[in-house]
Amino acid sequence: MKVLVIGLGGVTNGGKTTLAEKLKNMLPNCDIISQDDFFKPESEVETDERGFKLYDVLDALYMDEMVTSIHNWIKSPASSSVVTEEPQNICDNVKNVYILIVEGFLLYNYEPLNELWNRRYFLTLPYEECKRRRSTRVYQPADTPGYFDGHVWPMYLKYKNELEENASMQVDYLDGTKSQEELLSYVYSDIIQELNKLRE
């Protein structure tokens, strides 16, 4: 049994969840773990001097629990909730390969996760498009006025810069303004190549 762990990270509202769900439907033995499931309750998230809840930092997440969940999945992927409806065009010899897609906005800035990835993707968006998409979403708690400019976007730039400065980190940057079909086609083909390498 072989395991492929795919990171799907990047900007808020970049299309990570949608892309992960579509890939899950197309790939054999595929499961998703979402970083959003590991947010601390609002009462445990720090507030800065402007009154902004600091959600876009690692301290707002139970990262150790997330790492544990991923390790548990890797140990026994067959016992997870994987539905093995085999896509017709995938060869028989990938039936014993299990794929985990981990999606979230802060995946590659946390050291304990970095030895796990087979492939890392990072969705980007320009400022205006990201702000526009963010304004159409309803969050719990709701974004306060100025929150995007005062916290969300600066934190995205900070973590993205950290990634770009880390020369050892192999990250495939994806343009989140491209159509979902285009992004899906590219990432799917790339993962199939990884599966083929595992078979060799």
Side-chain angles (χ1 to χ4, degrees), residues 12-15 17 36 132-139 142-143:
T12 177
N13 295 277
T17 308
D36 284 357
R132 185 193 69 73
R133 290 189 193 181
R134 177 96 181 189
S135 69
T136 66
R137 293 269 289 273
V138 178
Y139 287 91
D143 281 359

Side-chain angles (χ1 to χ4, degrees), residues 121-189:
Y121 303 98
F122 189 96
L123 281 149
T124 63
L125 281 177
Y127 166 82
E128 291 297 344
E129 176 61 13
C130 185
K131 190 171 186 175
R132 185 193 69 73
R133 290 189 193 181
R134 177 96 181 189
S135 69
T136 66
R137 293 269 289 273
V138 178
Y139 287 91
Q140 215 41 47
D143 281 359
T144 50
Y147 188 68
F148 180 83
D149 288 310
H151 176 61
V152 176
W153 189 253
M155 286 299 106
Y156 162 67
L157 293 179
K158 173 184 182 284
Y159 286 116
K160 183 170 175 274
N161 288 340
E162 280 179 16
L163 273 192
E164 290 167 344
E165 285 166 13
N166 184 347
S168 67
M169 185 91 69
Q170 288 252 287
V171 180
D172 200 340
Y173 292 93
L174 307 174
D175 177 356
T177 62
K178 288 191 168 157
S179 73
Q180 288 183 350
E181 289 67 34
E182 209 174 335
L183 289 168
L184 181 64
S185 168
Y186 173 78
V187 176
Y188 176 78
S189 305

Side-chain angles (χ1 to χ4, degrees), residues 86-104:
E86 296 295 336
Q88 295 312 300
N89 59 345
I90 295 185
C91 317
D92 287 344
N93 47 1
V94 296
K95 290 224 167 59
N96 64 339
V97 178
Y98 288 83
I99 302 167
L100 179 63
I101 297 172
V102 182
E103 64 97 5

Side-chain angles (χ1 to χ4, degrees), residues 3-137:
V3 170
L4 199 62
V5 182
I6 308 291
L8 197 51
V11 68
T12 177
N13 295 277
K16 300 179 293 293
T17 308
T18 307
L19 186 55
E21 291 291 346
K22 289 187 171 180
L23 286 165
K24 180 180 177 176
N25 292 333
M26 291 172 72
L27 292 163
N29 307 333
C30 186
D31 216 350
I32 299 172
I33 288 179
S34 175
Q35 191 170 36
D36 284 357
D37 295 337
F38 297 91
F39 271 113
K40 293 176 179 174
E42 192 182 349
S43 59
E44 288 182 41
V45 176
E46 282 185 45
T47 306
D48 73 3
E49 66 282 354
R50 297 161 299 179
F52 292 151
K53 282 276 178 191
L54 303 181
Y55 273 105
D56 288 54
V57 297
L58 287 166
D59 282 347
L61 296 146
Y62 292 120
M63 289 303 293
D64 49 347
E65 284 183 22
M66 184 175 172
V67 172
T68 302
S69 295
I70 295 169
H71 278 295
N72 288 342
W73 189 95
I74 290 169
K75 269 185 244 154
S76 62
S79 67
S80 70
S81 59
V82 175
V83 180
T84 53
E85 281 180 37
E86 296 295 336
Q88 295 312 300
N89 59 345
I90 295 185
C91 317
D92 287 344
N93 47 1
V94 296
K95 290 224 167 59
N96 64 339
V97 178
Y98 288 83
I99 302 167
L100 179 63
I101 297 172
V102 182
E103 64 97 5
F105 69 110
L106 271 183
L107 298 182
Y108 313 131
N109 305 78
Y110 188 66
E111 207 43 57
L113 285 178
N114 278 333
E115 73 251 18
L116 300 177
W117 310 115
N118 293 93
R119 296 289 288 131
R120 295 183 188 90
Y121 303 98
F122 189 96
L123 281 149
T124 63
L125 281 177
Y127 166 82
E128 291 297 344
E129 176 61 13
C130 185
K131 190 171 186 175
R132 185 193 69 73
R133 290 189 193 181
R134 177 96 181 189
S135 69
T136 66
R137 293 269 289 273

